Amino acid sequence: MRVPTVRRVNVVGIAAIFAIVLLGAACGYSPSSNSSGTTLQTGGADAPLSEEATAGQAAFDQQCAACHTIGGGPLVGPDLAGITDLRATDWLHSWIIDPAAFAETDPDAEAIFTGGMPALGLSDAETDEVIAYLESTSEVEGSSAAPEGPRDLSAVEFDEASEIFFNRCAGCHGTLRAGATGPAIQPEDRTLEIGTTGIETILTKGLPGGMPAWGDAGILTEGEIDLLANFIQLDPPTPPPLDLTQITESWNLVVPVADRPTESQTARDWEDFTGVILRDAGQVAIIDAGTKETVAVIDTGFAVHILRSSATGRYFIAVGRDGRVTMIDLWTETPEIVAQVQGCFDARSVEASKVEGFEDKYIIEGCYWPPQYVVFDGQTLEPLVVHDILSPDINGKELDEVRVAAIVASHFDPVWVMGLKESGYVGIVDYSQPDFPLVKKIEADLFLHDGGWDHTGRYFITAANAQNKLMVIDVKTQELVAGIETGKVPHPGRGANWQDPEFGWVYATTHIGEGKLTLIGADPEGNPEHAWKVVREVEIPGTGSLFLKTHPESQWVWMDTALSNVEGENQQACVYSIEKMEMEKCFQVADHGTVVHFEYNKAGDEVWISVWDRDGEVVIYDDETLTEKHRITGDWLITPTGKFNVFNTANDIY
Ligand code: DHE
């Protein structure tokens, strides 16, 4: 029997982050279940199992045991002891094959379907084997003990657990655990009901829908899992605020402007430098895309997330998960840090002022925590202002946490445009006004995440990924123009723009939750009948992708299959042909790690790809022939993720 495999993460973060998106859809958690226990048991009948039941047991252990026990009490899903006495075989079959679809046709299924249990992808035969195994356990009695609640944590343990939560969980579940990309995991609505054993099992084994197996992957120790399992059943600590005075205290002007060169000191083409994030090393490598030489490896701080370029390209600005912003000067002989500051405790986005007259003048940082944005001087990072962004969401629901997601800078107006994740608004900050106010909040949809410009730079397109939509904002008129369903959890990165032979200009995204490239018409003037509608859907192997990229000079669109749950499939890249309007090919980039994120060189004739692993690589392909041209390796190349070419990033070429 073929049992679909659940790939385990091997680098900190990958599915750790994105696939966790699907955690909410991972298991059939039945809140009405009242039988519970403390021991994890996945079987129990003494009689020898039939061949069918034996195969079913293997499938159960692999696909179901993270959520269900048989006689051990509920985990995320109910204890399945005696389930075959309760439900007919046909009923169970339909439920296991696709609970959501079954719930639409069967009232009993509808009554218990919480949206939690996913279709596991089992064939009819495999499903029958699982049912045969469940039948073989029909003598086992369910446990009725109450879930084991949390133990008291000492102050030291609580602090340690808070830190683990912040590093591993807060990105998806929110600092206050109210959910966003992942589901809410607050004590009252989830974790107390699951109990310590259940949570430990989930943290160790992951969930079929994508929650990473932190324990099995060797990322969290048993001790850390114990701490975390108890911690998330206790009320979350209120994270501290960070005001302008504190931010200013963190400011370190390493090289004053007067001491910096007034023209470039390097003989290299610094506009063709590519910054490579070395995520777990807390570093950024600067590589000369022309010679492929590593020009500098710079310590920037904890889990650097992205780089952006100042308008002229002279400065790289890095932002890390610790909220630290680092400014790197590329005009010195060797690139070096000229200023650093911490505007948030947790952050993912940073951007520069880009409109004419404001080049290299200001920098904005969007915080995950506290709910605020901070504006800095664009030469020194001196903090200028902090603005609170906490507000009710677009439906009027009061919130305790609103995170700044993607930020883009207009090339036409002195504004930054940013997704306000939990509240579902897109905010517009006018940096030509004193005090850098949030001048407009446009209703979009909930849980805004990443996004970028259309080919004209007039429309900001951002994923409301919990709604499976791309939202289109006309930044000129400051209005929402469309919300388009594209597939399961769209994840455009900044997206990709090109001219489709049939539909003219399009913008595209791949998806975290399914193997699909979706193109939407993005030419409201030339092709109004197709504008902001899905015009093409192309299947990608695997079950999820993170990033895609193209270039005005290219005839290809590159994308990863990083979230595939098929062994090895996460190590390939796929290339879509713009001319042929179909997938050209997918091929293996590495035999280790996870292949992720694409960037072009300045000329647009090479594509750079990261192999995200402790033994990381950056693999460079000739964009015309699609053949490998160069492979950068080395002990220092630890967990490369995002790559940002100076010219392309400063000019928003994607
Ligand atoms: Fe990212 C962009 C948030 C996990 C690599 N990521 C972004 C942006 C946001 C974001 C809001 C858009 C920034 C902008 O344009 O201003 N990312 C988050 C998360 O909340 C999430 C899901 C969980 C977390 O805890 O961080 C997350 N991101 C990841 C990863 O696991 C990745 C693959 C590796 C890493 O760094 O941890 C990752 N994110 C990236 C990259 C970009 C990015 C490379 C920029 C793409 C681009 O081409 O611009």
Side-chain angles (χ1 to χ4, degrees):
M1 181 186 85
R2 191 190 68 83
V3 179
T5 55
V6 178
R7 185 173 64 80
R8 299 303 186 201
V9 287
N10 57 358
V11 286
V12 176
I14 182 81
I17 307 299
F18 285 102
I20 201 173
V21 166
L22 305 175
L23 166 59
C27 289
Y29 173 51
S30 162
S32 60
S33 163
N34 61 4
S35 74
S36 43
T38 54
T39 344
L40 175 67
Q41 255 176 260
T42 58
D46 291 336
L49 295 180
S50 67
E51 205 178 309
E52 192 182 26
T54 305
Q57 182 174 26
F60 183 93
D61 285 348
Q62 193 153 21
Q63 294 284 354
C64 318
C67 298
H68 299 281
T69 71
I70 300 169
L75 295 176
V76 179
D79 184 338
L80 296 180
I83 189 70
T84 50
D85 296 335
L86 199 67
R87 302 281 183 198
T89 304
D90 284 356
W91 192 98
L92 283 175
H93 188 101
S94 303
W95 174 266
I96 295 170
I97 288 283
D98 190 343
F102 188 40
E104 283 178 16
T105 58
D106 182 275
D108 277 0
E110 188 190 3
I112 61 163
F113 184 62
T114 60
M117 166 125 171
L120 298 173
L122 297 178
S123 67
D124 283 335
E126 289 164 346
T127 304
D128 289 341
E129 287 163 352
V130 170
I131 296 170
Y133 171 61
L134 290 172
E135 258 162 6
S136 77
T137 67
S138 62
E139 302 299 305
V140 176
E141 285 183 15
S143 163
S144 59
E148 189 189 350
R151 67 177 169 84
D152 285 340
L153 297 178
S154 69
V156 173
E157 287 178 320
F158 193 87
D159 286 350
E160 194 186 332
S162 299
E163 200 177 323
I164 302 168
F165 183 86
F166 170 75
N167 291 340
R168 303 291 177 208
C169 321
C172 289
H173 296 283
T175 308
L176 299 176
R177 310 180 200 156
T181 313
I185 49 167
Q186 286 158 331
E188 66 278 11
D189 59 21
R190 198 141 169 129
T191 55
L192 281 171
E193 217 161 340
I194 301 172
T196 310
T197 308
I199 299 169
E200 282 178 351
T201 309
I202 295 166
L203 290 169
T204 306
K205 296 190 168 303
L207 290 172
M211 165 80 181
W214 294 115
D216 283 356
I219 294 166
L220 293 182
T221 63
E222 268 178 39
E224 288 171 327
I225 285 175
D226 164 65
L227 283 183
L228 206 49
N230 286 285
F231 173 76
I232 61 172
Q233 294 175 78
L234 303 169
D235 287 333
T238 307
L242 189 63
D243 63 22
L244 191 61
T245 311
Q246 292 164 295
I247 296 171
T248 306
E249 277 164 16
S250 76
W251 175 43
N252 181 10
L253 180 60
V254 184
V255 182
V257 178
D259 297 342
R260 297 183 202 165
T262 50
E263 58 186 37
S264 169
Q265 301 300 297
T266 169
R268 297 175 186 273
D269 178 5
W270 58 271
E271 281 197 322
D272 202 12
F273 283 172
T274 294
V276 180
I277 286 175
L278 306 179
R279 186 193 184 281
D280 292 351
Q283 293 175 324
V284 170
I286 313 242
I287 299 177
D288 181 336
T291 64
K292 318 287 183 281
E293 287 164 308
T294 303
V295 184
V297 178
I298 293 174
D299 290 323
T300 50
F302 175 70
V304 201
H305 201 71
I306 63 165
L307 285 176
R308 292 292 182 242
S309 289
S310 66
T312 61
R314 170 182 181 164
Y315 297 111
F316 258 145
I317 325 291
V319 66
R321 277 191 170 72
D322 55 2
R324 193 183 326 196
V325 176
T326 303
M327 178 180 265
I328 300 166
D329 190 356
L330 304 178
W331 276 12
T332 38
E333 206 176 325
T334 305
E336 62 181 50
I337 294 180
V338 289
Q340 256 187 341
V341 67
Q342 188 189 21
C344 321
F345 287 118
D346 189 6
R348 299 291 180 282
S349 50
V350 74
E351 188 50 290
S353 54
K354 286 198 172 164
V355 85
E356 203 180 330
F358 289 87
E359 294 94 338
D360 298 9
K361 216 162 163 48
Y362 301 119
I363 301 289
I364 184 172
E365 178 182 23
C367 299
Y368 260 24
W369 189 269
Q372 63 193 25
Y373 66 88
V374 188
V375 180
F376 307 99
D377 180 276
Q379 298 280 329
T380 63
L381 290 185
E382 179 185 0
L384 302 176
V385 81
V386 178
H387 281 296
D388 188 353
I389 49 142
L390 198 59
S391 79
D393 73 13
I394 51 170
N395 304 312
K397 184 179 162 209
E398 292 293 332
L399 299 171
D400 296 320
E401 182 173 12
V402 173
R403 295 180 279 177
V404 180
I407 308 181
V408 290
S410 169
H411 292 260
F412 304 110
D413 299 302
V415 297
W416 289 301
V417 187
M418 59 193 185
L420 302 173
K421 194 186 278 282
E422 284 78 3
S423 70
Y425 288 101
V426 169
I428 298 195
V429 174
D430 184 342
Y431 56 72
S432 68
Q433 293 191 35
D435 204 36
F436 315 96
L438 184 63
V439 287
K440 178 97 180 190
K441 279 170 65 187
I442 303 162
E443 273 186 32
D445 219 330
L446 293 188
F447 303 151
L448 301 173
H449 191 65
D450 48 358
W453 292 111
D454 76 312
H455 77 285
T456 65
R458 171 173 172 170
Y459 298 95
F460 171 52
I461 304 170
T462 183
N465 57 21
Q467 308 297 324
N468 300 326
K469 282 182 184 166
L470 286 182
M471 310 306 297
V472 183
I473 305 292
D474 182 343
V475 175
K476 192 170 169 191
T477 61
Q478 304 197 346
E479 284 167 352
L480 175 75
V481 293
I484 311 137
E485 278 198 36
T486 61
K488 226 170 171 182
V489 200
H491 191 268
R494 279 170 293 166
N497 294 288
W498 70 89
Q499 274 191 283
D500 181 271
E502 224 177 300
F503 301 110
W505 281 104
V506 291
Y507 176 91
T509 184
T510 54
H511 297 82
I512 289 176
E514 62 179 312
K516 185 165 75 170
L517 166 72
T518 301
L519 282 56
I520 57 167
D523 189 7
E525 282 174 19
N527 275 293
E529 70 280 22
H530 301 300
W532 317 131
K533 293 183 188 134
V534 173
V535 293
R536 222 179 268 296
E537 293 180 307
V538 183
E539 199 182 326
I540 314 173
T543 46
S545 159
L546 287 178
F547 296 107
L548 80 170
K549 189 64 60 86
T550 189
H551 186 280
E553 297 300 319
S554 180
Q555 52 167 324
W556 311 113
V557 185
W558 294 71
M559 64 210 81
D560 63 63
T561 54
L563 299 178
S564 172
N565 61 4
V566 177
E567 200 71 44
E569 213 167 54
N570 61 325
Q571 289 151 0
Q572 64 178 3
C574 294
V575 182
Y576 169 84
S577 163
I578 292 176
E579 262 170 39
K580 294 187 211 155
M581 296 167 280
E582 62 185 31
M583 197 61 81
E584 178 76 8
K585 62 172 178 173
C586 297
F587 51 90
Q588 213 69 18
V589 173
D591 58 5
H592 61 104
T594 298
V595 164
V596 77
H597 201 251
F598 305 85
E599 176 61 305
Y600 278 83
N601 61 343
K602 180 178 160 191
D605 57 12
E606 281 175 0
V607 175
W608 292 40
I609 307 180
S610 300
V611 179
W612 182 4
D613 197 6
R614 173 65 189 72
D615 298 317
E617 299 180 52
V618 173
V619 189
I620 301 168
Y621 283 84
D622 181 315
D623 188 57
E624 199 184 332
T625 58
L626 306 182
T627 51
E628 184 178 327
K629 207 169 162 182
H630 194 83
R631 201 169 269 255
I632 303 173
T633 56
D635 284 356
W636 55 275
L637 197 51
I638 297 166
T639 56
T641 53
K643 298 161 300 304
F644 304 87
N645 179 272
V646 171
F647 185 82
N648 296 339
T649 310
N651 295 293
D652 285 294
I653 295 173
Y654 41 83

